[in-house]
Amino acid sequence: MKSKLTAVRTAICVLALALAVTLCAAFAACGEEEIPAAVSGVTLNITETSLEEGGSMTLSATVTPSDAADKTVTWSTSNDKVAAVDGGKVTAVAAGKATITAKAGDKTATCVVTVFAGEDVADSFEELKAAVSSAEAEDVIAVAGNITVTEEVKLDKAVTLKGIYGNKLTVSGNISVFDMTSGGAAIDGLTIEKTDKTSVDGLVRMGNGAVMTNCTITGRYELGDNEVVRGFSHIAGSSITVTDNTFVSLRQPGYVEGAGVISGNYVDITRGFVVTENTTAEIVDNSFGENAVDIAIVENNTENNFTGRTARISADNNNCYVENQPDDETCRDGETVEHKDFA
C-alpha cells in the first residue's frame, strides 16, 4: 500500500513540475515585446537624370527591410527653383542642377537632376545635326524626344551629347548612328534602338578618346541569327571608354581592338563581346544575361595577351563565360571548363 501511495505522490509531483514549467514559459513569452524592424536602407531606381524645362519623371524608392515598421518616404529638393518634387514626381522648373532626396527613417538616397532650357535641347534630327555642327569643344548638347536617324552623325570634336529622360534614337538599315572615330566626343544617357536586323559594323563607331556611358542600345537580334549588328566598334589601337551601358538583342555588344576601359556594362541576348587577342583594354565588372558567349577572344595574327588570363577575365566579369579561341580554352565561374567547338 505504501509503495502505491509513493507512486501516486511521485506522479503528482511530476505533473505539477511540468505544469509549472509550462506556465513559466507562457508567462515569459507574454512578457517579451516584439521590437519593430528599423529601416536599414533606401534606394532609388534612378540616381542621375536630365530633364527639359517643364518636363517631369517619377522616382521610386525601395525601403529595406521589407518588414520595416515604418516605410514612409519623405521627399525633398535642394533647389525648388530648378526641380520640384512631390511624392516622387520630379518636375523641371528652370535650367540648372538640383539634388532630390528620399528619406526613410534615418536613411537617405539621392538623385541628381540636370535641367536644360528648351532652346538648348535638340528634339529632332535636323536640330541635332545643326547643334552638332555649331557646337564648340566642351559644349553639352541635350537630346530629347523620339528622333529617327537617317544618316550617320559625325562627332569629331570634344562635345558631349546628354540624353534627356525618355529620349530615343531609332535607326534602320546599315546606318551607324554616330561616328566618334576622332575628336574625343562623349555620349551619355542616350537610348539607341535598331529597328531591323540589317547588318551594321557599329551603331556607334569609336576612336581615340571617345566615351560612351549610361546608354542603352537595343536591337532585333535573336540567338542564332546570322546578321551582324554591333553596339559599338573600336578603331584598332585607339583608346576608348565604355562604361555602365546596357546592350540587349545585338549580335555583338561591341568589337574591342585596342586600349581603354570596358566596365560596368550589362549584356543580354547576344553572342557577347568580341575581343581581339592583342587588346590591352581593362575589361572588368561587366555582367551578363542569356548570351551564347559572354566574351570571345579571337585571333588577329599577333601575340595573345590573354594567355594564362582567361580564368582571370572570367572572374573579373562576374564569373562569365569566356572563350579564348587562339588558346583553345574556355572558362566559366572563374575556372577552366571542358572545351567545346567554337561557332
Side-chain angles (χ1 to χ4, degrees), residues 165-287:
Y165 180 80
N167 78 89
K168 182 184 289 187
L169 298 161
T170 58
V171 65
S172 61
N174 61 354
I175 301 172
S176 295
V177 179
F178 297 116
D179 176 358
M180 300 170 62
T181 55
S182 64
I187 57 174
D188 180 357
L190 296 180
T191 298
I192 298 173
E193 181 177 344
K194 180 77 157 64
T195 59
D196 66 357
K197 295 185 178 183
T198 306
S199 294
V200 60
D201 179 61
L203 292 169
V204 180
R205 300 192 297 123
M206 306 181 71
N208 209 42
V211 176
M212 179 197 301
T213 187
N214 299 314
C215 294
T216 298
I217 302 183
T218 61
R220 294 291 186 270
Y221 176 77
E222 298 177 33
L223 292 175
D225 286 346
N226 292 321
E227 296 84 358
V228 179
V229 176
R230 292 172 175 155
F232 69 89
S233 58
H234 183 179
I235 299 300
S238 63
S239 180
I240 66 174
T241 300
V242 179
T243 56
D244 301 322
N245 304 285
T246 296
F247 301 96
V248 177
S249 296
L250 303 163
R251 169 80 177 203
Q252 298 165 10
Y255 191 96
V256 185
E257 193 174 7
V261 177
I262 315 294
S263 73
N265 303 289
Y266 174 71
V267 178
D268 195 17
I269 316 175
T270 77
R271 286 201 63 80
F273 283 111
V274 173
V275 179
T276 60
E277 61 185 338
N278 67 331
T279 292
T280 59
E282 181 182 16
I283 305 173
V284 296
D285 296 329
N286 300 288
S287 57

Side-chain angles (χ1 to χ4, degrees), residues 112-135:
V112 177
V113 178
T114 302
V115 178
F116 290 90
E119 62 268 23
D120 297 329
V121 176
D123 58 8
S124 71
F125 189 57
E126 291 70 25
E127 288 185 0
L128 176 58
K129 289 192 298 180
V132 169
S133 176
S134 62

